[in-house]
Amino acid sequence: MVSVLVLLSTYNGEKFIEEQIKSLLDQEGIDIRILIRDDGSSDRTVDIIKSLQKSGKIDLVLGENIGYAKSFMTLVHLAANQVADYYAFCDQDDVWERNKLKVSVIALARSRNEPALYLSQAKIVDSNLKPIDTTFHKRKVDLGSVLEHNYAIGCTMVFNENLRLLLDINLADMNLTCGHDSWVYLVALAIDAQIVFDLNGHVLYRQHGKNVSGKIISVQQGLNAVKKILFTWKNARCDSAKKIIKSYKNRMSAQNYKLLYEAAEYQSSIKNKFQLLKNRRMKSDYLFVDLLYKFSVIFNLF
C-alpha cells in the first residue's frame, strides 16, 4: 500500500484540531502517518493531539513559535527521518474527504523518478462546514503567472520524495514571506517538476475569520489582500526570484532562468524593468491582478 506522511503544523488550534486529525485517520486506501510540529501553542492543542496518539499513527514534535511557514518547512526537513512514498501539507482547521490522499497519489503515480507536485481546488466552507463556494481560483499553471500572483493552496499539496529532497534546504535560503506553499509552488515550477492540478476539490477549506490565509469572500478582505500584496509583501516576489536562482540555478531551463533573472533584477535598470513588464509569461487570468502586477513593478513594489 502507498504510504503518505502528512505534515501538520499546529498553533492554538484546539477548536478544530481533533476533527481534522480524525479526517486524516479516516483516509481510505493509504498507509498514513502524521508528523505534527506544534509551533508553541498555549491552549489545549498539544493535549488533544496526545490523546489521539493511541492510534499509533501520530508523531508529535514540540517547538518554539517560529511562524507557520518556517514550521511547515521544518517539517519537510524532519520528514527525512521517516520513510514515505509521498508527503502532504495539512492545515489544522480543515476536514479532508476520505478519498483526498488516494486521489492525489493516483495522480502522481506517473511521476516515476521526477520531482512531482499535486495540488487542487478546495471546497470553501464556514466554521460549521457549510459550503460557501465550490471553487477557489482559476488556475494558469505557469511560472510567470504564479510569480505574478501565487494562488497556491498548501493544504491541497502532495509531493514525492524527489521533490522533498530538493525542498530540504536551509531556511535562510528560502523566501517565506508569502508562505511555505507559495515557495514550494514557485520552486516546483522553476525546476520544471511535474505539476498536477486537480480541478476538483477534496478538502473542506474552513474559513472562520482567524485563518492565516484563505479565500477572499468580502470587500474588506479584498482590500486587505491588495494592501498585503503591495506593502506587506513588498518586493517579496523579487526576493523569491533571487533565492530560487541562488539555490536552483543548475536545475532550471534557460527560459525559466531568464524570467526569474528579470524578476530578480527589475529594479537595477529601466531596461530590466521594461523587459519584465513586456514578458508575455507574466500574465494571469485576471485583469485586475495583471494591472496590480504592472503597478507593483513600476513603483518598485514587486
Side-chain angles (χ1 to χ4, degrees):
M1 186 179 292
V2 175
S3 61
V4 178
L5 181 64
V6 175
L7 307 178
L8 170 56
S9 178
T10 59
Y11 179 71
N12 289 346
E14 63 179 6
K15 187 173 182 180
F16 301 117
I17 188 62
E18 182 173 1
E19 187 176 18
Q20 171 64 300
I21 290 176
K22 287 182 176 179
S23 78
L24 302 182
L25 295 174
D26 282 342
Q27 291 296 295
E28 59 184 17
I30 296 293
D31 178 15
I32 190 171
R33 288 202 63 83
I34 307 169
L35 178 59
I36 302 175
R37 181 188 181 278
D38 185 75
D39 197 35
S41 292
S42 57
D43 64 358
R44 294 182 56 252
T45 298
V46 171
D47 291 335
I48 294 170
I49 294 170
K50 287 181 177 179
S51 73
L52 296 169
Q53 284 187 295
K54 60 181 179 291
S55 67
K57 298 286 188 179
I58 301 171
D59 295 312
L60 173 63
V61 177
L62 303 180
E64 62 181 8
N65 185 258
I66 57 175
Y68 75 97
K70 289 183 178 179
S71 185
F72 272 110
M73 295 312 296
T74 298
L75 282 165
V76 170
H77 175 68
L78 293 174
N81 298 321
Q82 302 204 29
V83 178
D85 297 310
Y86 298 99
Y87 306 87
F89 287 135
C90 178
D91 293 343
Q92 66 184 4
D93 43 13
D94 301 325
V95 171
W96 286 10
E97 295 180 347
R98 293 189 67 190
N99 68 341
K100 194 272 189 194
L101 289 178
K102 184 178 179 180
V103 169
S104 305
V105 300
I106 289 174
L108 290 173
R110 300 174 185 174
S111 60
R112 297 184 181 181
N113 295 321
E114 297 299 316
L117 172 68
Y118 165 97
L119 68 165
S120 74
Q121 294 279 17
K123 295 181 178 180
I124 314 303
V125 298
D126 64 16
S127 60
N128 297 313
L129 303 182
K130 181 179 179 181
I132 298 174
D133 193 356
T134 56
T135 61
F136 196 82
H137 290 292
K138 291 184 286 186
R139 298 282 172 156
K140 189 175 182 180
V141 183
D142 181 81
L143 178 61
S145 177
V146 174
L147 186 63
E148 180 180 307
H149 192 79
N150 198 326
Y151 294 119
I153 311 174
C155 61
T156 73
M157 287 183 168
V158 180
F159 48 96
N160 63 6
E161 172 68 2
N162 293 290
L163 183 55
R164 191 204 67 78
L165 287 169
L166 293 172
L167 294 171
D168 188 8
I169 63 175
N170 195 305
L171 287 175
D173 292 328
M174 306 177 194
N175 181 20
L176 300 177
T177 304
C178 297
H180 64 289
D181 43 9
S182 294
W183 171 257
V184 168
Y185 197 19
L186 282 172
V187 169
L189 287 165
I191 64 173
D192 287 320
Q194 177 184 331
I195 307 291
V196 179
F197 177 67
D198 188 348
L199 292 172
N200 298 306
H202 309 284
V203 175
L204 304 184
Y205 192 36
R206 198 186 316 246
Q207 302 294 288
H208 48 77
K210 296 183 180 180
N211 303 72
V212 175
S213 60
K215 172 82 171 181
I216 297 173
I217 55 178
S218 71
V219 173
Q220 185 59 50
Q221 284 179 310
L223 293 174
N224 289 341
V226 171
K227 180 180 178 181
K228 183 183 291 186
I229 291 167
L230 293 180
F231 302 106
T232 305
W233 293 346
K234 180 180 178 181
N235 286 322
R237 291 163 287 185
C238 170
D239 292 341
S240 290
K242 290 178 179 178
K243 292 194 172 185
I244 290 173
I245 289 173
K246 176 183 176 182
S247 296
Y248 300 101
K249 180 179 178 180
N250 293 334
R251 295 195 60 92
M252 285 190 287
S253 66
Q255 184 183 30
N256 286 350
Y257 174 76
K258 178 179 180 295
L259 175 61
L260 287 168
Y261 181 82
E262 289 176 3
E265 301 297 329
Y266 83 98
Q267 294 184 29
S268 61
S269 70
I270 296 296
K271 179 182 177 180
N272 286 352
K273 183 175 291 190
F274 181 70
Q275 285 291 111
L276 183 60
L277 285 170
K278 73 173 186 177
N279 193 307
R280 293 183 179 181
R281 293 181 69 185
M282 299 297 295
K283 183 176 178 59
S284 73
D285 289 324
Y286 295 95
L287 176 61
F288 179 72
V289 171
D290 291 337
L291 292 174
L292 199 61
Y293 149 70
K294 292 183 183 300
F295 179 91
S296 66
V297 172
I298 291 170
F299 292 97
N300 292 334
L301 301 172
F302 184 76

